[in-house]
């Protein structure tokens, strides 16, 4: 069904145009018009793919999460839990241009979630997916007996989630103050602090 | 010098009007005009207190940090380092309406720092102050022999700073997912993990 594939592909290209607008001008700079212009498409054509600005926004936010999830599903896992968790978390950190783009779009949604209930709903959808992912990581460590005894799963999940998102925010807003190396060092230290016996 | 005092007071009232505009409409919704309207003042009068929008923005961001600093300086310290650090960090968390306002304004600046170099400079000024504050806390713990031996001061400071800012972001964007209790539980757990002997 080449036509369906094209339709999906076109929607992704438009969402990526939306990302560029968001990075340049913030969510307030985004409209179906600015995205159509950015994509070099007429407003009429865009409306063929997205019936409303809300639909475009929702697809654009979800694509950030889907793109990261696809990468995570394709990672070269080692079977060693500590190493594999570091591989996953690294995909969530803005360590290259692709992940920097995701991080900046996510941060724009997070900041706007405060005052815009519709954006808030989209933000929370991604927040919940991330929370569930971090929770699975820690449950996995506990299941194979690698986690420190007495690990408080819910608080530890929220702590790890907040640490990672805080690092993403710091690097996006002040990359020379919190570098790629800083992000990885903080996450590694954190993970080791949760393990019964940290890696030598 | 009542006149000088009035001048400062007026600038603070205008900055607080700017905060309300930022919370409602984001940094993109802020202009000298919207702030003058919010403060019930003419544009001409506002210009008496702030020569430019940039000056108003800078004062508004710095006032967030100054207001928190003033509260921190007036805290009822116990002399017990762990308890005192928790007191300080609590002043940085959005635990009431005053602190929620500070957190939301700060988050708007952080998100905008990504695409706007002038906002980025203001954001980094506050980022550096916070980093220095967290560093002093951990140095203080180490100095009195309470910190775990071998504490890596720079990485630990960046980790604590990212954790706190991540919690602030999560609570501001999704308060029912990361509650006040969650923030305090994560910070307490984190602090205890840095101590030689956590509180019983």
């Amino acid at each position: 069904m080449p036509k369906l594939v094209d339709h999906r592909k076109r929607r992704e290209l438009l969402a990526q145009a939306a990302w560029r607008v968001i990075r340049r001008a913030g969510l307030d700079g985004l409209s179906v018009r600015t995205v159509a212009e950015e994509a070099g498409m007429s407003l009429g054509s865009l409306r063929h793919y997205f019936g409303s600005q809300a639909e475009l926004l929702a697809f654009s936010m979800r694509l950030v999460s889907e793109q990261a999830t696809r990468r995570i599903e394709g990672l070269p896992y080692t079977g060693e839990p500590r190493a594999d968790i570091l591989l996953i978390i690294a995909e969530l950190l803005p360590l290259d241009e692709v992940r920097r783009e995701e991080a900046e779009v996510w941060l724009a949604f997070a900041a706007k979630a405060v005052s815009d209930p519709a954006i808030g709903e989209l933000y929370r959808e991604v927040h919940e997916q991330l929370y569930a992912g971090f929770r699975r990581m820690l449950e996995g460590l506990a299941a194979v007996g690698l986690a420190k005894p007495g690990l408080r799963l819910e608080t530890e999940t929220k702590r790890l989630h907040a640490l990672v998102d805080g690092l993403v925010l710091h690097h996006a807003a002040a990359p020379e103050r919190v570098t790629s190396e800083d992000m990885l060092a903080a996450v590694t230290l954190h993970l080791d602090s949760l393990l019964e016996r940290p890696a030598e």
Side-chain angles (χ1 to χ4, degrees), chain A residues 112-184:
Chain A
K112 193 77 184 167
V114 169
S115 59
D116 183 322
I119 297 285
E121 238 176 88
L122 293 171
Y123 167 79
R124 280 191 287 276
E125 200 181 300
V126 172
H127 181 99
E128 277 304 287
Q129 288 166 1
L130 281 166
Y131 174 85
F134 285 118
R135 182 149 184 143
R136 278 194 303 274
M137 291 180 211
L138 296 186
E139 281 172 346
L141 282 182
V144 294
L146 284 176
K148 277 196 177 146
L151 196 80
R152 286 158 57 194
L153 203 56
E154 195 189 331
T155 302
E156 288 294 6
T157 301
K158 287 180 174 173
R159 186 161 73 113
L160 175 58
H161 187 180
L163 171 67
V164 170
D165 281 354
L167 290 169
V168 170
L169 180 150
H170 284 170
H171 183 73
E176 75 294 349
R177 301 294 202 281
V178 175
T179 64
S180 299
E181 291 70 34
D182 290 332
M183 290 192 287
L184 289 171

Side-chain angles (χ1 to χ4, degrees), chain A residues 4-171:
Chain A
L4 252 183
V5 171
D6 276 6
H7 190 80
R8 167 75 196 188
K9 184 77 199 148
R10 239 355 136 79
R11 278 163 70 91
E12 291 196 4
L13 287 173
L14 281 163
Q16 283 155 0
W19 292 354
R20 292 193 297 276
V21 172
I22 292 168
R23 290 182 82 183
R24 198 172 57 229
L27 271 167
D28 289 321
L30 185 138
S31 66
V32 280
R33 189 173 302 275
T34 54
V35 173
E37 261 171 41
E38 175 69 32
M41 191 185 273
S42 74
L43 201 52
S45 304
L46 182 145
R47 291 210 185 279
H48 180 61
Y49 297 101
F50 292 103
S52 66
Q53 183 162 319
E55 209 190 301
L56 169 61
L57 267 178
F59 187 84
S60 301
M61 175 79 264
R62 286 176 190 139
L63 188 61
V64 168
S65 158
E66 279 173 38
Q67 179 173 286
T69 303
R70 253 180 265 158
R71 277 200 314 275
I72 287 169
E73 286 170 356
L75 283 171
Y77 290 109
T78 65
E80 201 279 287
R82 179 182 176 279
D84 288 347
I85 288 178
L86 279 174
L87 276 179
I88 295 172
I89 293 179
E91 290 304 325
L92 303 172
L93 298 173
L95 294 168
D96 61 16
E97 177 51 24
V98 168
R99 287 172 276 178
R100 197 145 35 234
E101 182 163 55
E102 291 168 0
E104 290 183 13
V105 172
W106 166 84
L107 180 55
F109 274 84
K112 193 77 184 167
V114 169
S115 59
D116 183 322
I119 297 285
E121 238 176 88
L122 293 171
Y123 167 79
R124 280 191 287 276
E125 200 181 300
V126 172
H127 181 99
E128 277 304 287
Q129 288 166 1
L130 281 166
Y131 174 85
F134 285 118
R135 182 149 184 143
R136 278 194 303 274
M137 291 180 211
L138 296 186
E139 281 172 346
L141 282 182
V144 294
L146 284 176
K148 277 196 177 146
L151 196 80
R152 286 158 57 194
L153 203 56
E154 195 189 331
T155 302
E156 288 294 6
T157 301
K158 287 180 174 173
R159 186 161 73 113
L160 175 58
H161 187 180
L163 171 67
V164 170
D165 281 354
L167 290 169
V168 170
L169 180 150
H170 284 170
H171 183 73

